[in-house]
Amino acid sequence: MSFKAGFVALIGRPNVGKSTLLNNILGTKLSIVSPRPQTTRMRILGVKHLPDAQIIFLDTPGVQKGGDLLTKSVMESAVASMESADVIVMIIEADKGWTKEDKEIVENYLKKYNKPTILAINKIDKIQRDLVLPLIEESTKIYDFKEYVPISAIKNINVDELIETIKKYLPESPPLYPEDMITDLPLKLWIAEIIREKVFFNTKQEIPYSVAVEVESIKEGEKNKNLLIIDAIIYVEKDNHKGIIIGKKGQMLKKIGTQAREELEFLLGKKVHLNLFVKVKERWKEDLPLLRALGYNQIS
Ligand code: GDP
Ligand code: MG
């Protein structure tokens, strides 16, 4: 049997479960998962190695509205991943059905790129089984999807079936990436995403999407090679946000730091010293050099 390899763009509005699905498929924590939407800002590439195929996933950020540089860069990376994709997997939520935004994605992207597209209907654990078929029927009227695969990314229902379906539409090709590669996301950005996730989980609604994390340096311990010393800055837009992130007597920052450190130690298999700093930088979303440093380098 011949080998297949190709690129897959995951597309769907925020919160449909793109990151959860990707993490489930890759079995590694790569893209950030959050109970709130719009936490994935950059294109994250993950590679699934199978005996007879290599699937390279492009995790596109949810489609967002807004005119600032950050939003534009998010949109550009979404467009870039669709352009380079061999197959598009569009995700909708079973319990919500087709929303207006979902339909906009079909109009603005699927119809434009006209690539083989698979519809993954996620979160079927949330609905009754007999509601799945009517939803598929409705979907056939919205776009000419190649396939319809009901899944639950979180409960791992039918995810293997989705992988098999994707494989059908990949071109024959030798592997495109070395076998030990799971992501091309640079280590600094990957660590920053993990820290940012902890900020999100701990600060609830108080902190809007105005937090950025920059990992300044990663050094090995001088005597202990098994130790990583990581310095990172949490940028906020306002003084009172800084107060919230630091918390009473520094409690909040300590909690964020501990959670991030524990996860990093687990994922990297090393001891970690994590030094977190909080800085106020008004309008960081409009600061081009800073955005570049944060990895939003799609902006031209
Ligand atoms: P993204 O914005 O599309 O990347 O969505 P996320 O992967 O961050 O998921 C958004 C929320 O939906 C998180 O709270 C997930 O735990 C939840 N979620 C994802 N997949 C499923 C699923 O199959 N079933 C249920 N019940 N929840 C899910
Ligand atoms: Mg996501």
Side-chain angles (χ1 to χ4, degrees):
M1 209 173 65
S2 60
F3 200 89
K4 288 183 153 193
F7 294 88
V8 176
L10 295 178
I11 181 167
R13 70 183 152 70
N15 230 25
V16 293
K18 296 178 293 297
S19 304
T20 308
L21 177 65
L22 191 70
N23 290 333
N24 177 323
I25 289 176
L26 299 175
T28 319
K29 185 150 188 149
L30 290 175
S31 65
I32 178 169
V33 181
S34 155
R36 265 156 295 145
Q38 296 179 11
T39 52
T40 311
R41 279 174 188 163
M42 64 194 110
R43 195 181 81 168
I44 295 173
L45 189 115
V47 186
K48 178 69 175 175
H49 304 276
L50 297 161
D52 56 350
Q54 191 174 67
I55 311 176
I56 300 130
F57 286 96
L58 308 166
D59 181 26
T60 63
V63 174
Q64 308 186 30
K65 296 195 177 99
D68 61 27
L69 265 177
L70 176 65
T71 305
K72 283 192 192 118
S73 111
V74 165
M75 288 313 304
E76 276 173 31
S77 77
V79 166
S81 26
M82 272 177 279
E83 272 170 357
S84 31
D86 297 298
V87 179
I88 295 176
V89 174
M90 172 160 180
I91 307 178
I92 62 167
E93 280 175 285
D95 54 320
K96 301 241 164 70
W98 278 93
T99 68
K100 189 168 153 273
E101 287 97 346
D102 294 331
K103 289 179 182 165
E104 277 171 15
I105 292 177
V106 172
E107 289 303 317
N108 298 338
Y109 297 97
L110 297 191
K111 290 191 175 168
K112 186 167 158 206
Y113 291 99
N114 201 23
K115 300 213 172 175
T117 305
I118 298 162
L119 183 70
I121 302 173
N122 191 27
K123 310 196 184 180
I124 53 161
D125 57 289
K126 285 176 124 179
I127 65 163
Q128 279 182 291
R129 279 184 93 134
D130 56 359
L131 294 176
V132 176
L133 209 55
L135 189 53
I136 291 178
E137 237 153 27
E138 187 190 349
S139 309
T140 63
K141 291 177 193 132
I142 289 170
Y143 186 70
D144 192 13
F145 294 100
K146 293 282 185 208
E147 313 261 355
Y148 304 83
V149 189
I151 60 165
S152 168
I154 225 162
K155 300 237 157 111
N156 202 10
I157 301 169
N158 242 9
V159 174
D160 287 345
E161 175 70 27
L162 178 64
I163 292 173
E164 285 306 309
T165 309
I166 291 169
K167 256 163 65 177
K168 269 172 54 181
Y169 295 92
L170 291 182
E172 284 188 9
S173 157
L176 301 168
Y177 287 95
E179 247 188 67
D180 56 0
M181 191 183 123
I182 301 175
T183 178
D184 74 343
L185 189 65
L187 188 60
K188 277 187 178 177
L189 297 185
W190 183 78
I191 291 171
E193 284 292 283
I194 287 170
I195 297 168
R196 196 159 63 87
E197 183 187 54
K198 302 307 169 206
V199 175
F200 268 80
F201 272 117
N202 285 295
T203 52
K204 309 227 170 58
Q205 307 297 331
E206 303 152 296
I207 300 287
Y209 296 89
S210 62
V211 173
V213 176
E214 180 184 13
V215 171
E216 276 200 315
S217 67
I218 307 168
K219 289 189 210 117
E220 266 185 357
E222 269 180 26
K223 286 182 194 139
N224 183 358
K225 291 268 175 271
N226 203 36
L227 170 71
L228 288 179
I229 302 153
I230 301 170
D231 288 355
I233 303 170
I234 300 173
Y235 286 103
V236 293
E237 284 184 317
K238 295 196 178 106
D239 257 331
N240 65 321
H241 292 166
K242 181 173 174 179
I244 291 168
I245 288 190
I246 291 173
K248 265 199 194 116
K249 295 184 184 162
Q251 285 296 324
M252 178 59 90
L253 191 61
K254 201 170 160 201
K255 199 165 151 196
I256 291 166
T258 303
Q259 288 179 4
R261 178 182 52 75
E262 284 172 353
E263 182 156 345
L264 289 168
E265 287 183 338
F266 173 73
L267 293 167
L268 297 166
K270 293 196 175 203
K271 273 231 138 273
V272 170
H273 275 186
L274 180 60
N275 302 313
L276 291 179
F277 308 91
V278 185
K279 280 190 189 165
V280 180
K281 184 149 186 134
E282 273 174 51
R283 297 169 60 82
W284 64 262
K285 287 181 188 175
E286 299 289 347
D287 184 334
L288 197 52
L290 179 63
L291 285 174
R292 284 229 169 87
L294 296 174
Y296 305 119
N297 50 8
Q298 305 269 354
I299 307 165
S300 52

